[in-house]
Amino acid sequence: MTNGLLLLHGFPLDSRSWDPQVASLSPLLTVVAPDMPGFGKAAGLMTSVDVAADAAADALRAAGVDRAIVCGLSMGGYVALAMWRRHRALIAGIVLANTKSTPDDEPGKERRRQLATRLRAEGNGFLAASPPPLLSEAAPAGLWDGVKADIARQAPAAIAAAAEAMADRPDSTPDLATIDVPVMLITSEHDTLIPAAETWAMAKHLPGERVAVIKDAGHLSNLEQPQAFNQLLREHLVRGRFADVGPAQD
Ligand code: MLT
């Protein structure tokens, strides 16, 4: 039995956004951080959250991992919940960071479809130049530069497909009550994209599970406060009896 940690990235980034977590935790266990289909070096397109969940399950199997703590941030959280529906035998614990279980409302779906149309017509320059509020207002310019470069690297067709996949994602709220592995919910003080209220709403369906609020961070809490995020991951690995990892080394 090989245990592992699966890291599912947010939109419109790729697996490099997990670099601080891979560096910190890969000495302790197998860490699998796949690019979602079409992003980074991955082939295909993310035509649905199910397609991304199946690709992530394949990545775990290819790495020889039988059971994983699945950590998804934002769009990665939508995919983590799809994995729970489709591949739960692989899952020993879940971390849902800066994400939500509810689907988009109609205006939200329409905004995603318009974004997809614009990406296909114009490319991704406008999005890289003016991204959504992925970081807090206090985030250093250098961190923003890295995030913008990460967006610029992604194929416009991949970003467009993922936007449409998110628009079409189902309501995962009924699935929360079926989760019988340890869950940790993470939000952050300054997340305006998926505010903390969404996390507390999920927590009502997961009584007894831990909710952590990361201070001084916006939406991409793992990038803005990597040490705090890594420490929470370590704690969840210990709780799931995955690793006796002790305090953070970074
Ligand atoms: C993300 O960071 O993955 C996105 O903000 C998620 C979303 O747009 O719903």
PDB file of all heavy atoms in Angstrom, residues 131-161:
ATOM      1  N   PRO A 131      -5.743  39.823 -14.033  1.00  0.00           N
ATOM      2  CA  PRO A 131      -6.371  38.609 -13.508  1.00  0.00           C
ATOM      3  C   PRO A 131      -7.434  38.923 -12.457  1.00  0.00           C
ATOM      4  O   PRO A 131      -7.487  40.046 -11.948  1.00  0.00           O
ATOM      5  CB  PRO A 131      -5.210  37.847 -12.852  1.00  0.00           C
ATOM      6  CG  PRO A 131      -4.032  38.727 -12.891  1.00  0.00           C
ATOM      7  CD  PRO A 131      -4.388  40.019 -13.545  1.00  0.00           C
ATOM      8  N   PRO A 132      -8.265  37.953 -12.122  1.00  0.00           N
ATOM      9  CA  PRO A 132      -9.182  38.140 -10.994  1.00  0.00           C
ATOM     10  C   PRO A 132      -8.385  38.312  -9.692  1.00  0.00           C
ATOM     11  O   PRO A 132      -7.170  38.097  -9.691  1.00  0.00           O
ATOM     12  CB  PRO A 132     -10.000  36.840 -10.979  1.00  0.00           C
ATOM     13  CG  PRO A 132      -9.355  35.906 -11.940  1.00  0.00           C
ATOM     14  CD  PRO A 132      -8.368  36.643 -12.750  1.00  0.00           C
ATOM     15  N   PRO A 133      -9.053  38.715  -8.606  1.00  0.00           N
ATOM     16  CA  PRO A 133      -8.319  38.967  -7.352  1.00  0.00           C
ATOM     17  C   PRO A 133      -7.861  37.666  -6.686  1.00  0.00           C
ATOM     18  O   PRO A 133      -8.389  37.229  -5.665  1.00  0.00           O
ATOM     19  CB  PRO A 133      -9.343  39.711  -6.493  1.00  0.00           C
ATOM     20  CG  PRO A 133     -10.666  39.306  -7.035  1.00  0.00           C
ATOM     21  CD  PRO A 133     -10.482  39.040  -8.497  1.00  0.00           C
ATOM     22  N   LEU A 134      -6.824  37.088  -7.267  1.00  0.00           N
ATOM     23  CA  LEU A 134      -6.321  35.793  -6.776  1.00  0.00           C
ATOM     24  C   LEU A 134      -5.486  35.949  -5.511  1.00  0.00           C
ATOM     25  O   LEU A 134      -5.302  34.990  -4.752  1.00  0.00           O
ATOM     26  CB  LEU A 134      -5.482  35.110  -7.868  1.00  0.00           C
ATOM     27  CG  LEU A 134      -6.270  34.655  -9.105  1.00  0.00           C
ATOM     28  CD1 LEU A 134      -5.337  34.336 -10.270  1.00  0.00           C
ATOM     29  CD2 LEU A 134      -7.121  33.426  -8.770  1.00  0.00           C
ATOM     30  N   LEU A 135      -4.951  37.158  -5.316  1.00  0.00           N
ATOM     31  CA  LEU A 135      -4.117  37.417  -4.132  1.00  0.00           C
ATOM     32  C   LEU A 135      -4.728  38.582  -3.362  1.00  0.00           C
ATOM     33  O   LEU A 135      -5.553  39.330  -3.902  1.00  0.00           O
ATOM     34  CB  LEU A 135      -2.688  37.770  -4.566  1.00  0.00           C
ATOM     35  CG  LEU A 135      -1.941  36.696  -5.370  1.00  0.00           C
ATOM     36  CD1 LEU A 135      -0.634  37.267  -5.929  1.00  0.00           C
ATOM     37  CD2 LEU A 135      -1.654  35.462  -4.505  1.00  0.00           C
ATOM     38  N   SER A 136      -4.298  38.758  -2.132  1.00  0.00           N
ATOM     39  CA  SER A 136      -4.822  39.869  -1.331  1.00  0.00           C
ATOM     40  C   SER A 136      -4.202  41.188  -1.803  1.00  0.00           C
ATOM     41  O   SER A 136      -3.204  41.199  -2.527  1.00  0.00           O
ATOM     42  CB  SER A 136      -4.507  39.645   0.144  1.00  0.00           C
ATOM     43  OG  SER A 136      -3.137  39.918   0.386  1.00  0.00           O
ATOM     44  N   GLU A 137      -4.776  42.276  -1.332  1.00  0.00           N
ATOM     45  CA  GLU A 137      -4.260  43.593  -1.734  1.00  0.00           C
ATOM     46  C   GLU A 137      -2.844  43.813  -1.234  1.00  0.00           C
ATOM     47  O   GLU A 137      -2.084  44.595  -1.805  1.00  0.00           O
ATOM     48  CB  GLU A 137      -5.181  44.689  -1.205  1.00  0.00           C
ATOM     49  CG  GLU A 137      -6.461  44.768  -2.021  1.00  0.00           C
ATOM     50  CD  GLU A 137      -7.411  45.854  -1.540  1.00  0.00           C
ATOM     51  OE1 GLU A 137      -7.041  46.615  -0.625  1.00  0.00           O
ATOM     52  OE2 GLU A 137      -8.523  45.899  -2.093  1.00  0.00           O
ATOM     53  N   ALA A 138      -2.474  43.105  -0.166  1.00  0.00           N
ATOM     54  CA  ALA A 138      -1.136  43.303   0.415  1.00  0.00           C
ATOM     55  C   ALA A 138      -0.085  42.394  -0.222  1.00  0.00           C
ATOM     56  O   ALA A 138       1.080  42.443   0.157  1.00  0.00           O
ATOM     57  CB  ALA A 138      -1.206  43.036   1.925  1.00  0.00           C
ATOM     58  N   ALA A 139      -0.480  41.587  -1.183  1.00  0.00           N
ATOM     59  CA  ALA A 139       0.475  40.624  -1.759  1.00  0.00           C
ATOM     60  C   ALA A 139       1.614  41.355  -2.462  1.00  0.00           C
ATOM     61  O   ALA A 139       1.386  42.364  -3.131  1.00  0.00           O
ATOM     62  CB  ALA A 139      -0.243  39.706  -2.745  1.00  0.00           C
ATOM     63  N   PRO A 140       2.842  40.859  -2.323  1.00  0.00           N
ATOM     64  CA  PRO A 140       3.968  41.528  -2.964  1.00  0.00           C
ATOM     65  C   PRO A 140       3.876  41.472  -4.489  1.00  0.00           C
ATOM     66  O   PRO A 140       3.339  40.507  -5.057  1.00  0.00           O
ATOM     67  CB  PRO A 140       5.194  40.753  -2.474  1.00  0.00           C
ATOM     68  CG  PRO A 140       4.697  39.586  -1.701  1.00  0.00           C
ATOM     69  CD  PRO A 140       3.222  39.708  -1.516  1.00  0.00           C
ATOM     70  N   ALA A 141       4.424  42.504  -5.132  1.00  0.00           N
ATOM     71  CA  ALA A 141       4.362  42.593  -6.600  1.00  0.00           C
ATOM     72  C   ALA A 141       5.007  41.366  -7.236  1.00  0.00           C
ATOM     73  O   ALA A 141       4.533  40.874  -8.267  1.00  0.00           O
ATOM     74  CB  ALA A 141       5.062  43.867  -7.063  1.00  0.00           C
ATOM     75  N   GLY A 142       6.063  40.851  -6.623  1.00  0.00           N
ATOM     76  CA  GLY A 142       6.760  39.698  -7.196  1.00  0.00           C
ATOM     77  C   GLY A 142       5.860  38.472  -7.267  1.00  0.00           C
ATOM     78  O   GLY A 142       5.951  37.676  -8.214  1.00  0.00           O
ATOM     79  N   LEU A 143       5.015  38.319  -6.267  1.00  0.00           N
ATOM     80  CA  LEU A 143       4.100  37.172  -6.265  1.00  0.00           C
ATOM     81  C   LEU A 143       3.061  37.331  -7.388  1.00  0.00           C
ATOM     82  O   LEU A 143       2.745  36.378  -8.110  1.00  0.00           O
ATOM     83  CB  LEU A 143       3.420  37.067  -4.895  1.00  0.00           C
ATOM     84  CG  LEU A 143       2.734  35.757  -4.554  1.00  0.00           C
ATOM     85  CD1 LEU A 143       3.667  34.570  -4.719  1.00  0.00           C
ATOM     86  CD2 LEU A 143       2.183  35.798  -3.124  1.00  0.00           C
ATOM     87  N   TRP A 144       2.569  38.562  -7.533  1.00  0.00           N
ATOM     88  CA  TRP A 144       1.640  38.833  -8.641  1.00  0.00           C
ATOM     89  C   TRP A 144       2.298  38.548  -9.984  1.00  0.00           C
ATOM     90  O   TRP A 144       1.675  37.962 -10.879  1.00  0.00           O
ATOM     91  CB  TRP A 144       1.173  40.293  -8.609  1.00  0.00           C
ATOM     92  CG  TRP A 144      -0.114  40.499  -7.881  1.00  0.00           C
ATOM     93  CD1 TRP A 144      -0.308  41.264  -6.772  1.00  0.00           C
ATOM     94  CD2 TRP A 144      -1.395  39.951  -8.218  1.00  0.00           C
ATOM     95  NE1 TRP A 144      -1.624  41.217  -6.398  1.00  0.00           N
ATOM     96  CE2 TRP A 144      -2.319  40.423  -7.267  1.00  0.00           C
ATOM     97  CE3 TRP A 144      -1.853  39.095  -9.225  1.00  0.00           C
ATOM     98  CZ2 TRP A 144      -3.671  40.082  -7.294  1.00  0.00           C
ATOM     99  CZ3 TRP A 144      -3.202  38.743  -9.256  1.00  0.00           C
ATOM    100  CH2 TRP A 144      -4.089  39.238  -8.299  1.00  0.00           C
ATOM    101  N   ASP A 145       3.568  38.938 -10.115  1.00  0.00           N
ATOM    102  CA  ASP A 145       4.269  38.699 -11.393  1.00  0.00           C
ATOM    103  C   ASP A 145       4.292  37.204 -11.702  1.00  0.00           C
ATOM    104  O   ASP A 145       4.081  36.792 -12.842  1.00  0.00           O
ATOM    105  CB  ASP A 145       5.706  39.238 -11.331  1.00  0.00           C
ATOM    106  CG  ASP A 145       5.736  40.756 -11.291  1.00  0.00           C
ATOM    107  OD1 ASP A 145       4.697  41.385 -11.598  1.00  0.00           O
ATOM    108  OD2 ASP A 145       6.801  41.308 -10.930  1.00  0.00           O
ATOM    109  N   GLY A 146       4.555  36.393 -10.677  1.00  0.00           N
ATOM    110  CA  GLY A 146       4.601  34.946 -10.875  1.00  0.00           C
ATOM    111  C   GLY A 146       3.240  34.390 -11.288  1.00  0.00           C
ATOM    112  O   GLY A 146       3.143  33.545 -12.181  1.00  0.00           O
ATOM    113  N   VAL A 147       2.191  34.890 -10.645  1.00  0.00           N
ATOM    114  CA  VAL A 147       0.836  34.414 -10.967  1.00  0.00           C
ATOM    115  C   VAL A 147       0.467  34.810 -12.401  1.00  0.00           C
ATOM    116  O   VAL A 147      -0.073  34.002 -13.171  1.00  0.00           O
ATOM    117  CB  VAL A 147      -0.179  34.973  -9.942  1.00  0.00           C
ATOM    118  CG1 VAL A 147      -1.608  34.773 -10.412  1.00  0.00           C
ATOM    119  CG2 VAL A 147       0.035  34.308  -8.579  1.00  0.00           C
ATOM    120  N   LYS A 148       0.800  36.042 -12.765  1.00  0.00           N
ATOM    121  CA  LYS A 148       0.478  36.500 -14.136  1.00  0.00           C
ATOM    122  C   LYS A 148       1.250  35.685 -15.171  1.00  0.00           C
ATOM    123  O   LYS A 148       0.713  35.320 -16.230  1.00  0.00           O
ATOM    124  CB  LYS A 148       0.797  37.984 -14.278  1.00  0.00           C
ATOM    125  CG  LYS A 148      -0.176  38.866 -13.515  1.00  0.00           C
ATOM    126  CD  LYS A 148       0.205  40.331 -13.635  1.00  0.00           C
ATOM    127  CE  LYS A 148      -0.791  41.206 -12.863  1.00  0.00           C
ATOM    128  NZ  LYS A 148      -0.439  42.609 -12.878  1.00  0.00           N
ATOM    129  N   ALA A 149       2.497  35.360 -14.854  1.00  0.00           N
ATOM    130  CA  ALA A 149       3.300  34.550 -15.787  1.00  0.00           C
ATOM    131  C   ALA A 149       2.711  33.150 -15.898  1.00  0.00           C
ATOM    132  O   ALA A 149       2.694  32.549 -16.982  1.00  0.00           O
ATOM    133  CB  ALA A 149       4.750  34.491 -15.312  1.00  0.00           C
ATOM    134  N   ASP A 150       2.215  32.636 -14.787  1.00  0.00           N
ATOM    135  CA  ASP A 150       1.599  31.302 -14.792  1.00  0.00           C
ATOM    136  C   ASP A 150       0.357  31.310 -15.696  1.00  0.00           C
ATOM    137  O   ASP A 150       0.148  30.384 -16.497  1.00  0.00           O
ATOM    138  CB  ASP A 150       1.230  30.919 -13.353  1.00  0.00           C
ATOM    139  CG  ASP A 150       1.030  29.421 -13.166  1.00  0.00           C
ATOM    140  OD1 ASP A 150       1.173  28.675 -14.150  1.00  0.00           O
ATOM    141  OD2 ASP A 150       0.724  29.001 -12.039  1.00  0.00           O
ATOM    142  N   ILE A 151      -0.456  32.360 -15.591  1.00  0.00           N
ATOM    143  CA  ILE A 151      -1.656  32.464 -16.447  1.00  0.00           C
ATOM    144  C   ILE A 151      -1.239  32.574 -17.918  1.00  0.00           C
ATOM    145  O   ILE A 151      -1.806  31.894 -18.790  1.00  0.00           O
ATOM    146  CB  ILE A 151      -2.520  33.681 -16.041  1.00  0.00           C
ATOM    147  CG1 ILE A 151      -3.048  33.512 -14.612  1.00  0.00           C
ATOM    148  CG2 ILE A 151      -3.687  33.877 -17.018  1.00  0.00           C
ATOM    149  CD1 ILE A 151      -3.719  34.754 -14.038  1.00  0.00           C
ATOM    150  N   ALA A 152      -0.226  33.398 -18.183  1.00  0.00           N
ATOM    151  CA  ALA A 152       0.201  33.630 -19.576  1.00  0.00           C
ATOM    152  C   ALA A 152       0.699  32.341 -20.228  1.00  0.00           C
ATOM    153  O   ALA A 152       0.599  32.184 -21.448  1.00  0.00           O
ATOM    154  CB  ALA A 152       1.292  34.701 -19.603  1.00  0.00           C
ATOM    155  N   ARG A 153       1.220  31.415 -19.415  1.00  0.00           N
ATOM    156  CA  ARG A 153       1.748  30.147 -19.964  1.00  0.00           C
ATOM    157  C   ARG A 153       0.654  29.187 -20.424  1.00  0.00           C
ATOM    158  O   ARG A 153       0.912  28.246 -21.159  1.00  0.00           O
ATOM    159  CB  ARG A 153       2.548  29.408 -18.874  1.00  0.00           C
ATOM    160  CG  ARG A 153       4.010  29.683 -18.832  1.00  0.00           C
ATOM    161  CD  ARG A 153       4.751  28.596 -18.081  1.00  0.00           C
ATOM    162  NE  ARG A 153       4.149  28.226 -16.815  1.00  0.00           N
ATOM    163  CZ  ARG A 153       4.364  28.851 -15.661  1.00  0.00           C
ATOM    164  NH1 ARG A 153       5.162  29.903 -15.626  1.00  0.00           N
ATOM    165  NH2 ARG A 153       3.790  28.447 -14.553  1.00  0.00           N
ATOM    166  N   GLN A 154      -0.568  29.379 -19.942  1.00  0.00           N
ATOM    167  CA  GLN A 154      -1.624  28.392 -20.227  1.00  0.00           C
ATOM    168  C   GLN A 154      -2.238  28.632 -21.606  1.00  0.00           C
ATOM    169  O   GLN A 154      -2.420  29.770 -22.026  1.00  0.00           O
ATOM    170  CB  GLN A 154      -2.722  28.450 -19.150  1.00  0.00           C
ATOM    171  CG  GLN A 154      -2.219  28.424 -17.725  1.00  0.00           C
ATOM    172  CD  GLN A 154      -1.210  27.319 -17.460  1.00  0.00           C
ATOM    173  OE1 GLN A 154      -1.370  26.191 -17.935  1.00  0.00           O
ATOM    174  NE2 GLN A 154      -0.159  27.617 -16.695  1.00  0.00           N
ATOM    175  N   ALA A 155      -2.591  27.557 -22.272  1.00  0.00           N
ATOM    176  CA  ALA A 155      -3.213  27.671 -23.589  1.00  0.00           C
ATOM    177  C   ALA A 155      -4.614  28.278 -23.435  1.00  0.00           C
ATOM    178  O   ALA A 155      -5.402  27.811 -22.589  1.00  0.00           O
ATOM    179  CB  ALA A 155      -3.314  26.289 -24.232  1.00  0.00           C
ATOM    180  N   PRO A 156      -4.945  29.297 -24.234  1.00  0.00           N
ATOM    181  CA  PRO A 156      -6.286  29.899 -24.133  1.00  0.00           C
ATOM    182  C   PRO A 156      -7.404  28.866 -24.263  1.00  0.00           C
ATOM    183  O   PRO A 156      -8.418  28.946 -23.557  1.00  0.00           O
ATOM    184  CB  PRO A 156      -6.311  30.907 -25.294  1.00  0.00           C
ATOM    185  CG  PRO A 156      -4.874  31.245 -25.523  1.00  0.00           C
ATOM    186  CD  PRO A 156      -4.084  30.011 -25.193  1.00  0.00           C
ATOM    187  N   ALA A 157      -7.222  27.876 -25.147  1.00  0.00           N
ATOM    188  CA  ALA A 157      -8.281  26.863 -25.320  1.00  0.00           C
ATOM    189  C   ALA A 157      -8.474  26.049 -24.039  1.00  0.00           C
ATOM    190  O   ALA A 157      -9.593  25.623 -23.726  1.00  0.00           O
ATOM    191  CB  ALA A 157      -7.923  25.935 -26.478  1.00  0.00           C
ATOM    192  N   ALA A 158      -7.385  25.834 -23.303  1.00  0.00           N
ATOM    193  CA  ALA A 158      -7.482  25.071 -22.052  1.00  0.00           C
ATOM    194  C   ALA A 158      -8.223  25.880 -20.992  1.00  0.00           C
ATOM    195  O   ALA A 158      -9.075  25.351 -20.267  1.00  0.00           O
ATOM    196  CB  ALA A 158      -6.082  24.709 -21.553  1.00  0.00           C
ATOM    197  N   ILE A 159      -7.893  27.168 -20.906  1.00  0.00           N
ATOM    198  CA  ILE A 159      -8.569  28.025 -19.913  1.00  0.00           C
ATOM    199  C   ILE A 159     -10.057  28.112 -20.258  1.00  0.00           C
ATOM    200  O   ILE A 159     -10.923  28.032 -19.371  1.00  0.00           O
ATOM    201  CB  ILE A 159      -7.933  29.430 -19.860  1.00  0.00           C
ATOM    202  CG1 ILE A 159      -6.420  29.350 -19.613  1.00  0.00           C
ATOM    203  CG2 ILE A 159      -8.588  30.257 -18.770  1.00  0.00           C
ATOM    204  CD1 ILE A 159      -5.724  30.721 -19.672  1.00  0.00           C
ATOM    205  N   ALA A 160     -10.339  28.263 -21.557  1.00  0.00           N
ATOM    206  CA  ALA A 160     -11.743  28.379 -21.990  1.00  0.00           C
ATOM    207  C   ALA A 160     -12.525  27.112 -21.639  1.00  0.00           C
ATOM    208  O   ALA A 160     -13.652  27.181 -21.106  1.00  0.00           O
ATOM    209  CB  ALA A 160     -11.797  28.647 -23.490  1.00  0.00           C
ATOM    210  N   ALA A 161     -11.934  25.960 -21.921  1.00  0.00           N
ATOM    211  CA  ALA A 161     -12.641  24.698 -21.628  1.00  0.00           C
ATOM    212  C   ALA A 161     -12.886  24.553 -20.132  1.00  0.00           C
ATOM    213  O   ALA A 161     -13.965  24.120 -19.700  1.00  0.00           O
ATOM    214  CB  ALA A 161     -11.823  23.512 -22.153  1.00  0.00           C
TER     215      ALA A 161
END
